[in-house]
mmCIF file of all heavy atoms in Angstrom:
data_model
loop_
_atom_site.group_PDB
_atom_site.id
_atom_site.type_symbol
_atom_site.label_atom_id
_atom_site.label_comp_id
_atom_site.label_asym_id
_atom_site.label_seq_id
_atom_site.Cartn_x
_atom_site.Cartn_y
_atom_site.Cartn_z
ATOM 1 N N ASP A 26 80.060 55.977 51.685
ATOM 2 C CA ASP A 26 80.310 55.956 50.229
ATOM 3 C C ASP A 26 80.408 54.506 49.760
ATOM 4 O O ASP A 26 80.058 54.171 48.615
ATOM 5 C CB ASP A 26 81.609 56.696 49.885
ATOM 6 C CG ASP A 26 81.469 58.217 50.132
ATOM 7 O OD1 ASP A 26 80.320 58.689 50.346
ATOM 8 O OD2 ASP A 26 82.534 58.857 50.163
ATOM 9 N N ASN A 27 80.912 53.585 50.564
ATOM 10 C CA ASN A 27 81.032 52.191 50.192
ATOM 11 C C ASN A 27 79.715 51.389 50.443
ATOM 12 O O ASN A 27 79.697 50.167 50.414
ATOM 13 C CB ASN A 27 82.178 51.546 50.962
ATOM 14 C CG ASN A 27 82.611 50.199 50.421
ATOM 15 O OD1 ASN A 27 82.572 50.004 49.237
ATOM 16 N ND2 ASN A 27 82.957 49.300 51.298
ATOM 17 N N GLN A 28 78.686 52.127 50.741
ATOM 18 C CA GLN A 28 77.321 51.535 50.975
ATOM 19 C C GLN A 28 77.349 50.464 52.070
ATOM 20 O O GLN A 28 76.721 49.458 51.962
ATOM 21 C CB GLN A 28 76.768 50.976 49.692
ATOM 22 C CG GLN A 28 76.589 52.006 48.624
ATOM 23 C CD GLN A 28 76.154 51.418 47.291
ATOM 24 O OE1 GLN A 28 75.980 50.222 47.153
ATOM 25 N NE2 GLN A 28 75.994 52.302 46.303
ATOM 26 N N HIS A 29 78.153 50.742 53.109
ATOM 27 C CA HIS A 29 78.273 49.820 54.271
ATOM 28 C C HIS A 29 78.742 48.439 53.912
ATOM 29 O O HIS A 29 78.574 47.456 54.625
ATOM 30 C CB HIS A 29 76.917 49.704 55.004
ATOM 31 C CG HIS A 29 76.335 51.047 55.448
ATOM 32 N ND1 HIS A 29 76.358 51.420 56.741
ATOM 33 C CD2 HIS A 29 75.839 52.041 54.757
ATOM 34 C CE1 HIS A 29 75.821 52.618 56.840
ATOM 35 N NE2 HIS A 29 75.479 53.038 55.605
ATOM 36 N N GLY A 30 79.418 48.331 52.760
ATOM 37 C CA GLY A 30 79.892 46.994 52.285
ATOM 38 C C GLY A 30 80.902 46.309 53.161
ATOM 39 O O GLY A 30 81.089 45.126 53.094
ATOM 40 N N ASP A 31 81.621 47.125 53.944
ATOM 41 C CA ASP A 31 82.602 46.536 54.875
ATOM 42 C C ASP A 31 82.122 46.507 56.307
ATOM 43 O O ASP A 31 82.930 46.311 57.208
ATOM 44 C CB ASP A 31 83.943 47.281 54.728
ATOM 45 C CG ASP A 31 83.819 48.744 54.953
ATOM 46 O OD1 ASP A 31 82.703 49.255 54.984
ATOM 47 O OD2 ASP A 31 84.875 49.412 55.093
ATOM 48 N N ASP A 32 80.823 46.597 56.472
ATOM 49 C CA ASP A 32 80.266 46.444 57.839
ATOM 50 C C ASP A 32 80.501 45.026 58.344
ATOM 51 O O ASP A 32 80.165 44.064 57.650
ATOM 52 C CB ASP A 32 78.780 46.673 57.772
ATOM 53 C CG ASP A 32 78.063 46.676 59.127
ATOM 54 O OD1 ASP A 32 78.566 46.088 60.079
ATOM 55 O OD2 ASP A 32 76.931 47.218 59.198
ATOM 56 N N PRO A 33 81.168 44.823 59.487
ATOM 57 C CA PRO A 33 81.428 43.525 59.979
ATOM 58 C C PRO A 33 80.202 42.652 60.049
ATOM 59 O O PRO A 33 80.242 41.451 59.722
ATOM 60 C CB PRO A 33 81.987 43.763 61.373
ATOM 61 C CG PRO A 33 82.595 45.142 61.298
ATOM 62 C CD PRO A 33 81.673 45.888 60.411
ATOM 63 N N LEU A 34 79.057 43.209 60.466
ATOM 64 C CA LEU A 34 77.835 42.407 60.563
ATOM 65 C C LEU A 34 77.420 41.868 59.156
ATOM 66 O O LEU A 34 76.912 40.754 59.126
ATOM 67 C CB LEU A 34 76.727 43.253 61.159
ATOM 68 C CG LEU A 34 75.437 42.578 61.487
ATOM 69 C CD1 LEU A 34 75.652 41.411 62.385
ATOM 70 C CD2 LEU A 34 74.437 43.530 62.050
ATOM 71 N N ALA A 35 77.657 42.640 58.108
ATOM 72 C CA ALA A 35 77.335 42.156 56.775
ATOM 73 C C ALA A 35 78.147 40.952 56.371
ATOM 74 O O ALA A 35 77.830 40.276 55.407
ATOM 75 C CB ALA A 35 77.489 43.305 55.761
ATOM 76 N N HIS A 36 79.274 40.730 57.088
ATOM 77 C CA HIS A 36 80.131 39.583 56.794
ATOM 78 C C HIS A 36 80.101 38.592 57.888
ATOM 79 O O HIS A 36 81.074 37.791 58.116
ATOM 80 C CB HIS A 36 81.557 40.106 56.604
ATOM 81 C CG HIS A 36 81.642 41.035 55.413
ATOM 82 N ND1 HIS A 36 81.803 40.599 54.111
ATOM 83 C CD2 HIS A 36 81.570 42.351 55.331
ATOM 84 C CE1 HIS A 36 81.825 41.631 53.281
ATOM 85 N NE2 HIS A 36 81.698 42.765 54.034
ATOM 86 N N CYS A 37 78.936 38.542 58.633
ATOM 87 C CA CYS A 37 78.664 37.569 59.670
ATOM 88 C C CYS A 37 79.668 37.644 60.821
ATOM 89 O O CYS A 37 79.971 36.668 61.503
ATOM 90 C CB CYS A 37 78.612 36.124 59.096
ATOM 91 S SG CYS A 37 77.225 35.925 57.960
ATOM 92 N N LEU A 38 80.233 38.810 61.024
ATOM 93 C CA LEU A 38 81.046 39.021 62.184
ATOM 94 C C LEU A 38 80.218 39.691 63.272
ATOM 95 O O LEU A 38 79.171 40.306 62.987
ATOM 96 C CB LEU A 38 82.255 39.895 61.830
ATOM 97 C CG LEU A 38 83.218 39.234 60.821
ATOM 98 C CD1 LEU A 38 84.285 40.215 60.327
ATOM 99 C CD2 LEU A 38 83.896 38.053 61.532
ATOM 100 N N PRO A 39 80.607 39.611 64.544
ATOM 101 C CA PRO A 39 79.821 40.088 65.639
ATOM 102 C C PRO A 39 79.516 41.575 65.611
ATOM 103 O O PRO A 39 80.341 42.380 65.150
ATOM 104 C CB PRO A 39 80.574 39.720 66.905
ATOM 105 C CG PRO A 39 81.494 38.607 66.467
ATOM 106 C CD PRO A 39 81.801 38.895 65.029
ATOM 107 N N HIS A 40 78.411 41.936 66.216
ATOM 108 C CA HIS A 40 78.142 43.321 66.609
ATOM 109 C C HIS A 40 79.200 43.662 67.648
ATOM 110 O O HIS A 40 79.740 42.818 68.322
ATOM 111 C CB HIS A 40 76.787 43.459 67.325
ATOM 112 C CG HIS A 40 75.593 43.219 66.530
ATOM 113 N ND1 HIS A 40 75.141 42.026 66.178
ATOM 114 C CD2 HIS A 40 74.710 44.095 65.991
ATOM 115 C CE1 HIS A 40 74.022 42.170 65.482
ATOM 116 N NE2 HIS A 40 73.742 43.403 65.367
ATOM 117 N N GLY A 41 79.348 44.905 67.897
ATOM 118 C CA GLY A 41 80.143 45.368 69.041
ATOM 119 C C GLY A 41 79.186 45.866 70.077
ATOM 120 O O GLY A 41 77.975 45.755 69.972
ATOM 121 N N VAL A 42 79.761 46.457 71.087
ATOM 122 C CA VAL A 42 78.962 47.132 72.155
ATOM 123 C C VAL A 42 79.100 48.648 71.896
ATOM 124 O O VAL A 42 80.187 49.108 71.603
ATOM 125 C CB VAL A 42 79.579 46.776 73.530
ATOM 126 C CG1 VAL A 42 78.884 47.528 74.652
ATOM 127 C CG2 VAL A 42 79.424 45.282 73.809
ATOM 128 N N PRO A 43 78.035 49.344 71.837
ATOM 129 C CA PRO A 43 76.679 49.066 72.282
ATOM 130 C C PRO A 43 75.764 48.570 71.168
ATOM 131 O O PRO A 43 74.571 48.314 71.382
ATOM 132 C CB PRO A 43 76.200 50.383 72.808
ATOM 133 C CG PRO A 43 76.834 51.357 71.903
ATOM 134 C CD PRO A 43 78.172 50.843 71.618
ATOM 135 N N ARG A 44 76.254 48.452 69.932
ATOM 136 C CA ARG A 44 75.448 48.124 68.770
ATOM 137 C C ARG A 44 74.651 46.866 68.985
ATOM 138 O O ARG A 44 73.496 46.742 68.526
ATOM 139 C CB ARG A 44 76.324 47.978 67.537
ATOM 140 C CG ARG A 44 75.531 47.759 66.284
ATOM 141 C CD ARG A 44 76.483 47.619 65.113
ATOM 142 N NE ARG A 44 75.769 47.487 63.828
ATOM 143 C CZ ARG A 44 76.408 47.178 62.683
ATOM 144 N NH1 ARG A 44 77.684 46.955 62.662
ATOM 145 N NH2 ARG A 44 75.699 47.047 61.612
ATOM 146 N N ILE A 45 75.169 45.909 69.712
ATOM 147 C CA ILE A 45 74.462 44.636 69.890
ATOM 148 C C ILE A 45 73.161 44.807 70.641
ATOM 149 O O ILE A 45 72.271 43.969 70.431
ATOM 150 C CB ILE A 45 75.337 43.613 70.650
ATOM 151 C CG1 ILE A 45 74.755 42.201 70.510
ATOM 152 C CG2 ILE A 45 75.580 43.995 72.095
ATOM 153 C CD1 ILE A 45 75.729 41.079 70.796
ATOM 154 N N ASN A 46 72.978 45.910 71.333
ATOM 155 C CA ASN A 46 71.746 46.145 72.081
ATOM 156 C C ASN A 46 70.748 46.994 71.249
ATOM 157 O O ASN A 46 69.770 47.478 71.831
ATOM 158 C CB ASN A 46 72.038 46.904 73.367
ATOM 159 C CG ASN A 46 72.805 46.044 74.324
ATOM 160 O OD1 ASN A 46 72.648 44.825 74.399
ATOM 161 N ND2 ASN A 46 73.730 46.650 75.040
ATOM 162 N N THR A 47 70.993 47.167 69.968
ATOM 163 C CA THR A 47 70.117 48.046 69.188
ATOM 164 C C THR A 47 69.210 47.302 68.210
ATOM 165 O O THR A 47 68.402 47.941 67.546
ATOM 166 C CB THR A 47 70.936 49.077 68.412
ATOM 167 O OG1 THR A 47 71.773 48.437 67.463
ATOM 168 C CG2 THR A 47 71.781 49.952 69.337
ATOM 169 N N ASN A 48 69.348 46.020 68.088
ATOM 170 C CA ASN A 48 68.626 45.239 67.097
ATOM 171 C C ASN A 48 67.367 44.641 67.765
ATOM 172 O O ASN A 48 67.446 43.587 68.336
ATOM 173 C CB ASN A 48 69.422 44.180 66.451
ATOM 174 C CG ASN A 48 68.722 43.586 65.201
ATOM 175 O OD1 ASN A 48 67.555 43.697 65.083
ATOM 176 N ND2 ASN A 48 69.501 43.010 64.352
ATOM 177 N N GLY A 49 66.224 45.332 67.638
ATOM 178 C CA GLY A 49 65.021 44.892 68.196
ATOM 179 C C GLY A 49 64.410 43.625 67.495
ATOM 180 O O GLY A 49 63.402 43.077 68.011
ATOM 181 N N LEU A 50 64.953 43.235 66.410
ATOM 182 C CA LEU A 50 64.417 42.055 65.686
ATOM 183 C C LEU A 50 64.759 40.744 66.411
ATOM 184 O O LEU A 50 64.079 39.727 66.266
ATOM 185 C CB LEU A 50 64.950 42.014 64.266
ATOM 186 C CG LEU A 50 64.597 43.159 63.352
ATOM 187 C CD1 LEU A 50 65.282 43.028 62.016
ATOM 188 C CD2 LEU A 50 63.058 43.262 63.173
ATOM 189 N N PHE A 51 65.872 40.768 67.092
ATOM 190 C CA PHE A 51 66.335 39.544 67.756
ATOM 191 C C PHE A 51 66.281 39.679 69.284
ATOM 192 O O PHE A 51 66.837 40.637 69.815
ATOM 193 C CB PHE A 51 67.811 39.246 67.346
ATOM 194 C CG PHE A 51 67.929 38.925 65.875
ATOM 195 C CD1 PHE A 51 68.271 39.935 64.988
ATOM 196 C CD2 PHE A 51 67.688 37.674 65.395
ATOM 197 C CE1 PHE A 51 68.425 39.673 63.647
ATOM 198 C CE2 PHE A 51 67.790 37.391 63.998
ATOM 199 C CZ PHE A 51 68.172 38.399 63.177
ATOM 200 N N PRO A 52 65.603 38.771 69.933
ATOM 201 C CA PRO A 52 65.485 38.960 71.395
ATOM 202 C C PRO A 52 66.863 38.586 72.095
ATOM 203 O O PRO A 52 67.705 37.979 71.500
ATOM 204 C CB PRO A 52 64.426 37.913 71.772
ATOM 205 C CG PRO A 52 64.443 36.908 70.698
ATOM 206 C CD PRO A 52 64.874 37.620 69.459
ATOM 207 N N PHE A 53 66.910 39.011 73.346
ATOM 208 C CA PHE A 53 67.977 38.607 74.146
ATOM 209 C C PHE A 53 67.485 38.289 75.576
ATOM 210 O O PHE A 53 66.367 38.648 75.920
ATOM 211 C CB PHE A 53 69.123 39.648 74.211
ATOM 212 C CG PHE A 53 68.732 41.003 74.793
ATOM 213 C CD1 PHE A 53 68.804 41.264 76.143
ATOM 214 C CD2 PHE A 53 68.308 41.969 73.892
ATOM 215 C CE1 PHE A 53 68.413 42.471 76.647
ATOM 216 C CE2 PHE A 53 67.917 43.207 74.428
ATOM 217 C CZ PHE A 53 67.948 43.482 75.786
ATOM 218 N N LYS A 54 68.233 37.535 76.330
ATOM 219 C CA LYS A 54 67.810 37.093 77.655
ATOM 220 C C LYS A 54 68.891 37.491 78.616
ATOM 221 O O LYS A 54 70.109 37.296 78.345
ATOM 222 C CB LYS A 54 67.659 35.589 77.616
ATOM 223 C CG LYS A 54 67.066 35.017 78.942
ATOM 224 C CD LYS A 54 66.833 33.553 78.828
ATOM 225 C CE LYS A 54 65.635 33.297 77.977
ATOM 226 N NZ LYS A 54 65.090 31.941 77.972
ATOM 227 N N ILE A 55 68.528 38.031 79.758
ATOM 228 C CA ILE A 55 69.411 38.415 80.794
ATOM 229 C C ILE A 55 69.268 37.411 81.979
ATOM 230 O O ILE A 55 68.162 37.218 82.442
ATOM 231 C CB ILE A 55 69.158 39.847 81.303
ATOM 232 C CG1 ILE A 55 69.392 40.809 80.184
ATOM 233 C CG2 ILE A 55 70.082 40.184 82.512
ATOM 234 C CD1 ILE A 55 68.969 42.248 80.493
ATOM 235 N N VAL A 56 70.384 36.768 82.327
ATOM 236 C CA VAL A 56 70.366 35.775 83.433
ATOM 237 C C VAL A 56 71.240 36.383 84.554
ATOM 238 O O VAL A 56 72.402 36.756 84.333
ATOM 239 C CB VAL A 56 70.957 34.460 82.982
ATOM 240 C CG1 VAL A 56 70.972 33.469 84.105
ATOM 241 C CG2 VAL A 56 70.181 33.901 81.805
ATOM 242 N N GLN A 57 70.654 36.483 85.772
ATOM 243 C CA GLN A 57 71.369 37.154 86.864
ATOM 244 C C GLN A 57 71.654 36.172 87.984
ATOM 245 O O GLN A 57 70.707 35.473 88.435
ATOM 246 C CB GLN A 57 70.521 38.324 87.319
ATOM 247 C CG GLN A 57 71.147 39.079 88.491
ATOM 248 C CD GLN A 57 70.238 40.225 88.968
ATOM 249 O OE1 GLN A 57 69.367 40.654 88.273
ATOM 250 N NE2 GLN A 57 70.529 40.698 90.151
ATOM 251 N N THR A 58 72.877 36.131 88.415
ATOM 252 C CA THR A 58 73.231 35.440 89.671
ATOM 253 C C THR A 58 73.919 36.438 90.591
ATOM 254 O O THR A 58 74.052 37.593 90.256
ATOM 255 C CB THR A 58 74.222 34.284 89.348
ATOM 256 O OG1 THR A 58 75.458 34.782 88.913
ATOM 257 C CG2 THR A 58 73.687 33.354 88.255
ATOM 258 N N ARG A 59 74.374 35.958 91.735
ATOM 259 C CA ARG A 59 74.895 36.880 92.703
ATOM 260 C C ARG A 59 76.116 37.607 92.201
ATOM 261 O O ARG A 59 76.302 38.812 92.370
ATOM 262 C CB ARG A 59 75.293 36.113 93.970
ATOM 263 C CG ARG A 59 75.857 37.025 95.069
ATOM 264 C CD ARG A 59 76.229 36.233 96.300
ATOM 265 N NE ARG A 59 75.079 35.565 96.886
ATOM 266 C CZ ARG A 59 74.319 36.118 97.834
ATOM 267 N NH1 ARG A 59 74.618 37.257 98.331
ATOM 268 N NH2 ARG A 59 73.267 35.416 98.294
ATOM 269 N N GLY A 60 77.020 36.904 91.558
ATOM 270 C CA GLY A 60 78.297 37.508 91.128
ATOM 271 C C GLY A 60 78.462 37.708 89.586
ATOM 272 O O GLY A 60 79.504 38.152 89.117
ATOM 273 N N LEU A 61 77.384 37.386 88.842
ATOM 274 C CA LEU A 61 77.529 37.413 87.380
ATOM 275 C C LEU A 61 76.157 37.695 86.693
ATOM 276 O O LEU A 61 75.159 37.116 87.128
ATOM 277 C CB LEU A 61 78.068 36.058 86.895
ATOM 278 C CG LEU A 61 78.337 35.867 85.437
ATOM 279 C CD1 LEU A 61 79.540 36.725 84.965
ATOM 280 C CD2 LEU A 61 78.597 34.392 85.139
#
C-alpha cells in the first residue's frame, strides 16, 4: 500500500539474504579458498 516506499534498498541500505542473489543486473564474483 505504501508503494514500497520504505524498502531499505530504495534508501541505499543493503539487500538482505537471499534477496541479494536475485538482482541479475549487477554481477557478483565468488572467490574460493580452502577455508573461506
Side-chain angles (χ1 to χ4, degrees):
D26 292 346
N27 194 37
Q28 300 174 0
H29 303 253
D31 53 349
D32 184 339
L34 186 57
H36 299 278
C37 295
L38 294 169
H40 290 79
V42 174
R44 185 180 184 190
I45 195 162
N46 295 324
T47 63
N48 191 339
L50 298 175
F51 296 96
F53 61 89
K54 186 177 285 192
I55 299 174
V56 180
Q57 180 180 343
T58 67
R59 180 180 301 266
L61 182 69

